[in-house]
């Protein structure tokens, strides 16, 4: 898969950019603040449907415009696929702007999920160094994005998990007596456990697969002078379980064990939304160096 053509209109610092790309390698050279990173972000936006640099996609629209247009012609399996994204600000009131996003694949309107099914893309930029240096939430986000590209079911379960988590946290924050609160939590726990256990199991398998590849490449880079190891860190499991029934049981037991503490702190304290992965070099945790 490769980009053949790209057009960016009123996107970031580009008022109207059209380029044709090489099928093998493309190198962009220029002074600082000329748009090299913006261009890479635009390519990623076309195949992912959202920016990796900002939570608000409306921020990619040129300051002097109310809309932006991105187009890419992509060769996939010797067939040309055209992808177009239109971003338009719609004023809800004086203070807020709602973003209308329209995605088309071969001129047919599609949902964002259609892009992840159709295309696979990986970006590595200076911002991604925060995966190592930053908070666990950044590593979880990176992990979820990569797995979602490979397993669409994971993306669906991830969305459902966070929706269930939101309902559960709302219950924990309510000013109701503990008995009623516990009864309501028991209604949501099985759903949280089912979706959460699937996420944990998939992450464990993914990290183990990545670990094998990382070890091989790191050995080549360091000429076998260093060993690298990636491990998934669950706040539920004692060991790296790969049995869904065992994960379900441990998740259930942990929730029951921490019931009073969660009610006291008014938040769900356990689950994949609190997990992390660690990187070791020769047995040393690099996050603590």
């Amino acid at each position: 898969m490769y980009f053949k053509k790209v057009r960016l209109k009123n996107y970031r610092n580009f008022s109207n950019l059209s380029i044709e790309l090489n099928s093998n390698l493309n190198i962009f050279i220029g002074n600082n603040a000329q748009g090299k990173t913006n261009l890479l972000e635009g390519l990623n936006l076309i195949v992912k449907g959202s920016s990796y640099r900002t939570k608000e996609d409306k921020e990619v629209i040129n300051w002097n415009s109310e809309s932006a247009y991105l187009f890419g012609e992509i060769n996939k399996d010797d067939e040309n696929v055209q992808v177009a994204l239109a971003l338009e600000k719609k004023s809800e009131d004086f203070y807020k702007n709602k973003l209308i996003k329209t995605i088309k694949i071969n001129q047919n309107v599609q949902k964002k999920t259609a892009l992840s099914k159709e295309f696979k893309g990986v970006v590595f930029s200076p911002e991604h160094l925060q995966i190592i240096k930053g908070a666990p939430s950044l590593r979880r986000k990176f992990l979820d994005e990569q797995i979602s590209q490979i397993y669409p079911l994971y993306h669906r379960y991830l969305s459902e998990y966070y929706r269930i988590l939101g309902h559960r946290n709302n219950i924990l924050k309510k000013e109701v007596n503990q008995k009623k609160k516990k009864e309501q939590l028991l209604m949501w726990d099985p759903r949280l456990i089912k979706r959460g256990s699937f996420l944990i199991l998939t992450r464990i398998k993914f990290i183990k697969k990545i670990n094998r590849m990382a070890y091989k490449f790191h050995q080549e880079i360091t000429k076998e002078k260093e060993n690298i190891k990636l491990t998934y860190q669950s706040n539920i499991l004692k060991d790296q379980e790969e049995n869904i029934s065992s994960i379900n049981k441990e998740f259930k037991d942990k929730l029951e064990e921490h019931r009073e503490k969660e009610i006291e702190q008014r938040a769900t304290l356990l689950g994949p939304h609190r997990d992390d992965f660690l990187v070791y070099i020769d047995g040393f945790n690099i996050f603590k160096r």
Side-chain angles (χ1 to χ4, degrees):
M1 184 188 97
Y2 63 91
F3 275 92
K4 293 183 69 178
K5 299 176 182 177
V6 175
R7 184 183 177 193
L8 306 174
K9 187 175 182 180
N10 296 328
Y11 161 80
R12 294 288 191 184
N13 64 322
F14 298 115
S15 57
N16 196 349
L17 173 73
S18 293
I19 58 172
E20 294 187 5
L21 298 170
N22 188 279
S23 60
N24 295 314
L25 177 66
N26 296 275
I27 300 174
F28 303 105
I29 300 172
N31 294 328
N32 290 338
Q34 297 304 302
K36 299 185 298 296
T37 302
N38 290 343
L39 176 56
L40 293 177
E41 178 194 31
L43 296 174
N44 186 70
L45 187 59
I46 290 169
V47 296
K48 295 280 188 68
S50 58
S51 170
Y52 68 89
R53 296 170 68 195
T54 175
K55 291 182 179 179
E56 298 286 343
D57 284 339
K58 63 185 179 183
E59 292 180 15
V60 307
I61 299 174
N62 188 285
W63 288 350
N64 299 318
S65 304
E66 294 299 313
S67 63
Y69 176 79
L70 299 89
F71 170 85
E73 185 173 314
I74 301 167
N75 184 282
K76 182 188 176 190
D77 300 327
D78 294 326
E79 291 187 7
N80 292 334
V81 182
Q82 295 184 338
V83 181
L85 270 77
L87 307 174
E88 186 178 3
K89 294 178 185 176
K90 289 289 185 182
S91 297
E92 290 186 322
D93 55 43
F94 184 78
Y95 298 100
K96 292 184 179 180
N97 281 319
K98 181 181 179 182
L99 182 71
I100 305 296
K101 182 190 296 183
T102 305
I103 299 171
K104 291 185 179 181
I105 300 177
N106 289 334
Q107 299 185 345
N108 296 313
V109 176
Q110 300 283 356
K111 293 182 179 179
K112 180 183 170 182
T113 52
L115 292 173
S116 60
K117 292 178 182 178
E118 189 77 26
F119 307 110
K120 304 292 181 284
V122 176
V123 172
F124 186 77
S125 69
E127 289 93 336
H128 284 102
L129 291 175
Q130 290 302 314
I131 295 169
I132 300 299
K133 297 179 179 180
S137 60
L138 297 174
R139 289 188 284 279
R140 286 194 297 271
K141 181 184 177 184
F142 176 79
L143 193 61
D144 290 337
E145 285 176 349
Q146 307 318 310
I147 299 175
S148 294
Q149 287 193 81
I150 303 170
Y151 306 114
L153 182 62
Y154 181 89
H155 183 267
R156 195 184 99 195
Y157 275 27
L158 182 69
S159 299
E160 291 177 5
Y161 176 83
Y162 275 101
R163 187 164 59 249
I164 294 164
L165 180 66
H167 286 300
R168 196 174 186 277
N169 283 337
N170 286 336
I171 292 168
L172 287 165
K173 292 173 185 175
K174 282 182 180 178
E175 295 292 344
V176 296
N177 65 69
Q178 285 204 13
K179 183 181 178 182
K180 188 174 181 180
K181 189 172 285 191
K182 288 178 181 178
E183 289 174 353
Q184 292 177 342
L185 289 173
L186 287 172
M187 292 174 59
W188 286 99
D189 282 0
R191 290 178 243 187
L192 187 82
I193 292 167
K194 183 178 180 180
R195 293 295 179 259
S197 296
F198 175 85
L199 299 182
I200 292 169
L201 177 60
T202 308
R203 285 176 178 178
I204 288 172
K205 289 182 176 180
F206 183 80
I207 287 291
K208 285 186 176 181
K209 186 175 182 179
I210 292 297
N211 185 59
R212 290 192 293 270
M213 292 188 286
Y215 179 84
K216 176 186 174 183
F217 292 129
H218 195 78
Q219 286 276 291
E220 292 177 3
I221 292 169
T222 64
K223 296 182 179 179
E224 300 184 357
K225 292 180 180 179
E226 289 182 350
N227 295 316
I228 190 171
K229 183 179 180 181
L230 284 72
T231 62
Y232 186 70
Q233 187 178 47
S234 170
N235 57 21
I236 292 171
L237 304 180
K238 295 178 182 177
D239 303 307
Q240 296 288 297
E241 294 276 0
E242 287 196 41
N243 182 289
I244 194 70
S245 298
S246 298
I247 298 173
N248 280 333
K249 185 180 183 305
E250 287 201 49
F251 203 160
K252 182 175 181 292
D253 292 344
K254 284 285 187 178
L255 286 177
E256 291 175 356
E257 181 184 334
H258 288 75
R259 183 81 65 203
E260 300 298 331
K261 191 174 182 180
E262 286 191 329
I263 291 173
E264 180 186 339
Q265 296 191 20
R266 299 187 175 191
T268 302
L269 304 176
L270 300 162
H273 63 288
R274 294 282 184 108
D275 286 352
D276 197 0
F277 70 85
L278 303 178
V279 181
Y280 294 89
I281 300 291
D282 290 338
F284 292 97
N285 183 350
I286 66 170
F287 300 151
K288 293 183 178 180
R289 282 189 172 184

